[in-house]
Amino acid sequence: MIEFHPVRLEDRSVIERYTMPSGICNCDLAFANMYCWQAVYHSAWAEVGGFLVIRFQIDGGERIGYMQPVGAGDFGPILPQLREDAHAHGQRLRIIGLTDEGREMIRRMHPGEFAFESDRALEDYVYNADDLRTLPGRRYQPKRNHINRFTAEYPDYRYEELTPERFQECMALEREWRKVHEGHTSELCAEQRAMQRAFEHFAELGLTGGCIYVGDRLAAFTYGSAVNDHTFDTHVEKADTEYDGAFTIINKRFAEHLPARFTLINREEDLGLEGLRRAKLSYHPAFLQHKFQAIHLHPDELACKRLWMEAFGDGDDFVDSFLIRYYSRRRALTIGEEGRTVAMLHLLPFETELGRTTYIYGVATAESARRRGLASQLMRQAMTRIAERGDDAAFLIPTPGKEWLRGFYEGFGFGGELPVTFHSEDGFDFGTGDAAADRAMVWRRDASAPLPESLTATFRR
């Protein structure tokens, strides 16, 4: 069992001995972030085989994750130890925040054992520091115009270093800013607690910041810390929305005051918020820092993946997304032979115009086991289960180009050819990959009821 330690102020030197020379730009590896968000993520650290390992609670919940191990060389050999640690907590191994190189390292050293996925909402926006300092060229003309309007309207503005006597003003501005963003109360309250912790230990955390004043009134403030030797991370940026252009000018002036050794500035994620995404893209990032998650697959998931790729020809990315987001052994019906899965289907819960509806998805039989009635066997089991739990309807999409499948499914009470549109929180494509080909056959408990002209299917957890 690995001995993990909670992240304390006195651990900064040990942790940064690994992170500073790493070259990894992930904002989650900034020591100040680890420490200030401790109340949410309960981050802990350990040294394992020459690598720094950070363990934390994903989204502050019960599931634990491990950051990409940081150190020199391949970290693949220590993954079995991390897996044992996760198992000791009754969980599977989840590695979060993998770089592209980290993902490929795992694929190379543990082929086929993990599923991978990147969440666009959690990717970091990383900028060339000189671009933010100088706003060069035509593409930054709108930003320069914004600053010119601000300076013309507020000629008495000034930039000041963020120092302890200004902390209370900053917290007061943050409280006013938060009132305008009530829709994300829990996240913002957690951010407020993280800010308070940052201000309590500002120098010890290696934080630096700046403020914009108009006269005697605080209009904006920001602060951050180093992620590595050449990348600075902006942790917080707030502005009084009464001052149009305050965000633009604090961004530029703060970048100007950062030491020249910082050639990159990380402005963190957009969390999937459309307005924030537009704002971050408008500064033209040098790149987005991918942060893949890797999940160690159980044997049944590995078997599902092998059969899926054989039967449908889908690549790793698509199948991994399904396994990570939607696979459940409780919703899977399978037939195994000689230690492998040779037939399967999945019963996914949806709401449609027909009421509580099951989507029969991913019906597949291994080529070596076809023409033996295995798909029929699974379909009979599926229809029995659907009937027993009282669903109003079921639907499926026959594989395009295989017209004989319509006759096969008609034998189980399915009929019609309805256009279907899928909805889910993450936009996963449950269809064929071609929306025009997503034509559903439907079974209804009340066989006499007419079918609608189309289906809108919303996944329900």
Side-chain angles (χ1 to χ4, degrees):
M1 187 92 170
I2 301 171
E3 184 180 357
F4 280 91
H5 312 279
V7 176
R8 301 164 301 181
L9 287 171
E10 53 265 37
D11 299 324
R12 179 183 165 193
S13 61
V14 177
I15 289 173
E16 290 189 344
R17 189 169 69 231
Y18 291 92
T19 59
M20 285 299 167
S22 73
I24 300 176
C25 297
N26 186 339
C27 70
D28 302 310
L29 289 177
F31 178 80
N33 271 340
M34 295 183 204
Y35 181 79
C36 292
W37 288 87
Q38 182 83 347
V40 176
Y41 299 109
H42 304 284
S43 298
W45 67 276
E47 292 178 282
V48 182
F51 288 85
L52 170 73
V53 177
I54 304 296
R55 187 179 70 193
F56 66 102
Q57 293 176 219
I58 299 172
D59 297 325
E62 295 182 356
R63 293 186 306 162
I64 60 173
Y66 302 79
M67 292 294 297
Q68 174 173 320
V70 182
D74 289 350
F75 58 76
I78 73 169
L79 293 187
Q81 295 180 66
L82 301 189
R83 190 164 64 243
E84 290 177 10
D85 187 79
H87 288 176
H89 289 83
Q91 300 192 31
R92 72 166 85 202
L93 175 59
R94 294 178 174 89
I95 305 175
I96 312 295
L98 282 165
T99 62
D100 294 80
E101 296 78 11
R103 179 183 62 164
E104 293 312 308
M105 188 183 299
I106 294 177
R107 280 180 168 167
R108 183 177 68 252
M109 300 194 71
H110 299 271
E113 294 183 24
F114 289 82
F116 301 89
E117 187 175 44
S118 179
D119 186 343
R120 173 66 176 80
L122 299 180
E123 294 178 349
D124 289 350
Y125 291 75
V126 183
Y127 305 82
N128 289 319
D130 282 344
D131 287 348
L132 299 189
R133 289 172 178 134
T134 62
L135 301 178
R138 293 177 60 184
R139 64 179 183 171
Y140 285 105
Q141 186 64 52
K143 300 297 182 186
R144 297 198 299 272
N145 292 342
H146 214 186
I147 288 174
N148 290 338
R149 287 195 298 271
F150 181 90
T151 56
E153 187 168 356
Y154 308 109
D156 62 337
Y157 97 91
R158 68 186 188 280
Y159 177 87
E160 299 280 356
E161 181 183 356
L162 178 54
T163 51
E165 64 269 17
R166 309 184 196 278
F167 291 166
Q168 289 306 312
E169 284 182 279
C170 292
M171 292 302 296
L173 176 55
E174 191 279 337
R175 286 192 293 272
E176 291 302 313
W177 181 90
R178 187 155 39 98
K179 291 177 182 177
V180 185
H181 299 77
E182 293 177 349
H184 304 277
T185 305
S186 60
E187 297 95 326
L188 294 174
C189 287
E191 183 182 46
Q192 185 187 46
R193 291 193 295 271
M195 285 178 55
Q196 188 63 54
R197 204 168 203 209
F199 288 153
E200 289 170 357
H201 305 285
F202 205 73
E204 298 157 283
L205 292 169
L207 292 164
T208 185
C211 302
I212 295 292
Y213 280 88
V214 175
D216 293 328
R217 185 173 171 182
L218 179 65
F221 73 92
T222 186
Y223 67 80
S225 67
V227 179
N228 59 44
D229 287 332
H230 62 272
T231 305
F232 187 88
D233 182 55
T234 301
H235 302 322
V236 169
E237 184 181 85
K238 305 291 182 187
D240 186 335
T241 54
E242 289 186 19
Y243 295 98
D244 186 30
F247 276 112
T248 310
I249 198 161
I250 187 65
N251 188 335
K252 182 178 189 298
R253 295 302 307 276
F254 185 51
E256 290 172 351
H257 283 78
L258 288 177
R261 70 184 177 93
F262 292 119
T263 58
L264 295 173
I265 296 177
N266 184 329
R267 291 180 54 77
E268 302 196 352
E269 317 100 327
D270 63 36
L271 303 177
L273 302 175
E274 191 56 39
L276 191 56
R277 179 166 297 184
R278 287 195 302 270
K280 289 181 183 290
L281 288 173
S282 72
Y283 278 95
H284 309 290
F287 60 91
L288 296 181
Q289 174 66 65
H290 292 147
K291 293 194 283 188
F292 294 95
Q293 68 166 316
I295 295 182
H296 192 255
L297 295 175
H298 296 310
D300 57 310
E301 294 166 329
L302 286 168
C304 171
K305 181 173 182 176
R306 293 190 191 101
L307 178 54
W308 193 295
M309 295 177 75
E310 175 194 330
F312 303 119
D314 290 316
D316 282 304
D317 290 347
F318 179 83
V319 184
D320 285 355
S321 289
F322 171 71
L323 290 171
I324 289 173
R325 304 185 206 177
Y326 295 104
Y327 175 84
S328 167
R329 60 172 59 95
R330 293 182 294 102
R331 298 196 293 250
L333 299 179
T334 63
I335 296 174
E337 290 181 354
E338 299 179 352
R340 69 188 188 103
T341 296
V342 295
M344 69 177 182
L345 59 79
H346 305 269
L347 303 174
L348 304 184
F350 278 81
E351 289 291 338
T352 71
E353 292 85 348
L354 307 174
R356 179 186 168 107
T357 307
T358 290
Y359 178 30
I360 301 178
Y361 183 56
V363 183
T365 304
E367 186 173 1
S368 61
R370 291 173 185 168
R371 292 174 292 279
R372 290 165 44 195
L374 300 186
S376 294
Q377 181 180 330
L378 290 181
M379 282 297 297
R380 286 192 293 270
Q381 292 180 33
M383 299 313 295
T384 297
R385 184 175 295 187
I386 290 167
E388 288 176 346
R389 65 190 186 193
D391 284 0
D392 300 299
F395 73 100
L396 49 80
I397 300 177
T399 303
K402 296 185 178 181
E403 295 304 317
W404 61 270
L405 282 173
R406 294 190 58 81
F408 172 73
Y409 290 123
E410 284 172 356
F412 297 95
F414 287 82
E417 191 176 0
L418 281 62
V420 57
T421 303
F422 292 97
H423 292 284
S424 62
E425 292 178 357
D426 55 19
F428 183 82
D429 184 2
F430 289 99
T432 62
D434 176 6
D438 292 345
R439 315 286 292 191
M441 297 183 71
V442 174
W443 168 90
R444 297 194 73 168
R445 177 173 296 280
D446 181 359
S448 64
L451 293 176
E453 294 184 357
S454 63
L455 286 181
T456 300
T458 303
F459 184 81
R460 53 185 175 83
R461 291 288 177 187

